[in-house]
Amino acid sequence: MVPVTIEAQTAVAAAIVVQDERVLLVRRRVAEGVLSWQFPAGKIEPGEAPEEAAVRETQEETGLLVTPTSVLGQRVHPVTGREIHYIACRPLSGTAFVASVEELAELAWATHGQIPQYVPYGLFEPVQNYLDEALLS
């Protein structure tokens, strides 16, 4: 078997959506290893900016229209091995629901204190720092 290199995989954009001192999390129908709950996310399409992918994936998965506010960072995810871009977003319109029943089992708006219950292995430091400020201020 030939190992898949990081370069051969499509990068992913994740939307960090905060509203009313809560962050939007989604639970995938199929977990990636220990990953079950995560941020709305998906593959960045050719010619698409990470911010555009985060907006598109959030709307496709949750029906929520968001706008990007800042780029929080990127890394190779330690569990999936994929390059992932983290984009802070704020809601523009709509109400979040499971819009993509093929991909998602459920969603939740988590308070700062609830995040470890959903994501017990911790968050990427720039994302954690952003949520510390956004949810606790």
Side-chain angles (χ1 to χ4, degrees):
M1 177 184 267
V2 176
V4 177
T5 62
I6 299 301
E7 295 76 28
Q9 294 187 7
T10 305
V12 171
I16 317 307
V17 182
V18 171
Q19 181 176 37
D20 299 329
E21 299 178 355
R22 294 176 183 267
V23 63
L24 181 60
L25 297 171
V26 298
R27 188 169 67 82
R28 303 257 167 232
R29 287 211 171 274
V30 178
E32 293 184 82
V34 298
L35 299 181
S36 178
W37 286 94
Q38 54 193 253
F39 303 108
K43 294 176 183 172
I44 300 170
E45 295 178 353
E48 188 176 44
E51 296 88 339
E52 294 168 326
V55 169
R56 178 183 49 76
E57 287 290 340
T58 302
Q59 188 163 29
E60 288 175 1
E61 293 180 0
T62 72
L64 193 63
L65 180 60
V66 299
T67 189
T69 57
S70 63
V71 175
L72 301 176
Q74 71 183 69
R75 69 171 173 169
V76 173
H77 196 282
V79 174
T80 66
R82 287 189 178 276
E83 177 185 328
I84 184 163
H85 299 254
Y86 297 89
I87 312 298
C89 297
R90 67 175 174 81
L92 288 178
S93 65
T95 300
F97 67 101
V98 175
S100 178
V101 295
E102 303 83 28
E103 290 184 75
L104 302 184
E106 60 184 313
L107 61 78
W109 287 99
T111 64
H112 187 272
Q114 292 171 325
I115 294 170
Q117 296 167 29
Y118 291 97
V119 189
Y121 40 82
L123 297 174
F124 180 43
E125 187 175 357
V127 172
Q128 184 66 62
N129 292 343
Y130 171 76
L131 291 174
D132 289 349
E133 186 174 316
L135 300 179
L136 295 177
S137 59

